[in-house]
Amino acid sequence: MSITTTQVAIIGGGPSGLLLSQLLHRRGIETVVFEKHTRDYVLGRIRAGVLEHGFADLMREAGCGERMDAEGEIHEGIYIAHQGRMDRVDLAKHTGGDTVVVYGQTEVTRDLYQARADMGGVVVHQAEDVALHDLKSTTPYLTYSKDGTSHRVNCDYIIGADGFHGPSRKAIPSDVLREYEKVYPFGWLGVLSETKPVSPELIYARHDRGFALCSMRSQVLSRYYIQVPITDNVDGWSDDAFWAELKSRLPADVAAGLETGPSIEKSIAPLRSFVAEPMRYGNLFLAGDAAHIVPPTGAKGLNSAASDIYYLYHGLLDHYLKDDDAGLEGYSETALARVWKAQRFSWWMTNLLHRFPDSAEVDRRFQQTDLDYLFSSDAALASLAENYVGLPY
Ligand code: FAS
Ligand code: PHB
């Protein structure tokens, strides 16, 4: 067995792990990232598309903002389509100028991998059987295997940035870990197509047939979603069926302008709200999807991961550069306070815009009244806007 040492061992080469590694490396703190899959496999996953302004600033601080600023789009508003019409939420107006950046998670991850390579950052791909050890001691370590060889990595801290299915959360004893979960009775069927986006800004559509979302990755790459029963299989949805259903859920004038084309990616994602507490156990810190999952209706999944990384980055900086552990000691409480607000907003947006299979007519009237009230009240619009652009870190 080979034995190596680093300061911060990070499990997971997704956006959470890569961003933390990049930020710490730039301040002289040593990390190693352990990723189960190849770089291309990670980059092949199509996920988030909207970055809160706080996340965009963190990418710039990590030295990874150049392509995002050149190719990403600043969006000052979103539309909500309902009752055959479109109402706009002016994000900038209601937040004193805050906006979001439309730039795909795939590109964020690509930029982070490139930055790691440029700095000589160590990312171990195809790391198998990663296991965590001695988390309550001052000398935690992880083990893994690669190409048939076993390895041990001694470290000060282990960061569990290994997503919902990774080993980190499961390393916390069941009598310590508390899990909160809500599974929604529907999923999102997503399509990526090399077509011009139907709208310059995102459209969240509430319709009796179900929710729909019109998003984008660029002016030549569109991302669309429709709510489907959780029992649906993506093989049961032809491209033509998808486009017809999407059009049926949009206002007629919007549907008339929809450019369709072959799907270059098509998949169904289940929707759940999930939070694991605490986000620290001894010298293990959880971050991102390893600790929490949201329904993507509020575009908070990737953005909640970013705020975890912000808190961890500053807590580790203070530990190593100032011998001050207050940030690390308070990490779980501080991160969870913001995570739960993102959970609430995502749950609220999901309940506002989706058709629930067991809903009664009165429930649908409450939903519509919620929307009517929203667009009649600057206070209500400001509340949606400040959550959508991202609450302060
Ligand atoms: P990730 O899951 O991205 O990364 C974890 C990494 O850990 C992965 O690369 C994985 O291979 C690795 N790993 C797992 N087990 C390991 C092990 N045993 N050893 C080593 N490595 C291991 N968010 C939005 O905001 N908007 C969206 O539209 C949206 N759509 C989504 C669609 C899908 C299908 C999914 C699953 C998520 C979606 N999300 C969306 C949320 C998503 O963007 C996450 O919030 C984001 O990927 C979180 O990043 P990480 O915390 O890095 O987790
Ligand atoms: C996306 O572009 O994939 C996207 C945008 C906003 C959301 C969810 C997904 O709320």
Side-chain angles (χ1 to χ4, degrees), residues 11-17 34-37 41-42 45-50 105 127 130 161-167 188 217 225 269 287-290 296 299-303 305:
I11 308 173
S16 295
F34 300 91
E35 166 56 44
K36 178 166 72 171
H37 293 296
Y41 181 93
V42 175
R45 296 186 299 225
I46 306 299
R47 290 189 173 169
V50 172
Q105 175 174 327
V130 172
D162 47 341
F164 185 69
H165 301 290
W188 279 17
R217 293 293 178 270
Y225 298 93
D289 277 19
K300 293 298 158 211
L302 180 58
N303 290 301

Side-chain angles (χ1 to χ4, degrees), residues 189-324:
L189 167 60
V191 158
L192 194 64
S193 61
E194 289 171 337
T195 55
K196 179 168 175 45
V198 72
S199 164
E201 294 176 329
L202 273 64
I203 303 173
Y204 290 81
R206 176 186 176 269
H207 191 278
D208 281 346
R209 295 178 64 87
F211 169 81
L213 171 60
C214 302
S215 184
M216 66 200 74
R217 293 293 178 270
S218 70
Q219 284 309 308
V220 294
L221 193 59
S222 298
R223 180 70 166 161
Y224 295 105
Y225 298 93
I226 58 172
Q227 168 190 346
V228 293
I230 193 59
T231 50
D232 270 16
N233 185 304
V234 66
D235 297 336
W237 279 92
S238 68
D239 287 1
D240 289 346
F242 175 85
W243 293 121
E245 187 59 38
L246 174 64
K247 284 181 178 178
S248 73
R249 300 183 185 186
L250 298 173
D253 58 326
V254 176
L258 180 70
E259 182 185 331
T260 65
S263 60
I264 58 175
E265 194 273 349
K266 185 161 60 178
S267 55
I268 294 179
L271 268 62
R272 70 162 56 94
S273 300
F274 175 83
V275 178
E277 296 182 350
M279 289 175 60
R280 175 185 188 179
Y281 177 73
N283 286 310
L284 166 65
F285 294 86
L286 301 183
D289 277 19
H292 41 77
I293 300 283
V294 283
T297 327
K300 293 298 158 211
L302 180 58
N303 290 301
S304 299
S307 52
D308 293 347
I309 296 310
Y310 174 87
Y311 299 129
L312 267 179
Y313 165 51
H314 285 282
L316 288 164
L317 275 191
D318 289 349
H319 167 78
Y320 283 109
L321 305 187
K322 301 177 184 172
D323 199 22
D324 173 358

Side-chain angles (χ1 to χ4, degrees), residues 101 132 139 144 171 177 213 216 284 299 310 331 340 351 377 387:
V101 179
L132 300 81
T139 53
Y144 71 99
L177 191 69
L213 171 60
M216 66 200 74
L284 166 65
Y310 174 87
Y331 168 70
W340 274 109
N351 278 280
S377 159
N387 279 278

Side-chain angles (χ1 to χ4, degrees), residues 133-183:
H133 307 274
D134 291 359
L135 297 176
K136 298 291 270 187
S137 79
T138 56
T139 53
Y141 67 95
L142 65 81
T143 53
Y144 71 99
S145 60
K146 181 173 168 74
D147 304 331
T149 303
S150 299
H151 300 265
R152 169 174 168 151
V153 181
N154 297 325
C155 52
D156 300 331
Y157 299 109
I158 297 177
I159 309 301
D162 47 341
F164 185 69
H165 301 290
S168 297
R169 186 177 68 251
K170 298 160 189 149
I172 299 178
S174 57
D175 62 341
V176 173
L177 191 69
R178 300 180 302 279
E179 295 182 323
Y180 304 84
E181 184 169 41
K182 172 186 277 297
V183 177

Side-chain angles (χ1 to χ4, degrees), residues 76-80 87-89 91 201-202 204 384 388:
E76 298 188 354
I78 60 172
Y79 286 95
I80 294 182
D87 283 319
R88 185 169 184 265
V89 180
L91 299 172
E201 294 176 329
L202 273 64
Y204 290 81
L384 189 159
Y388 195 86

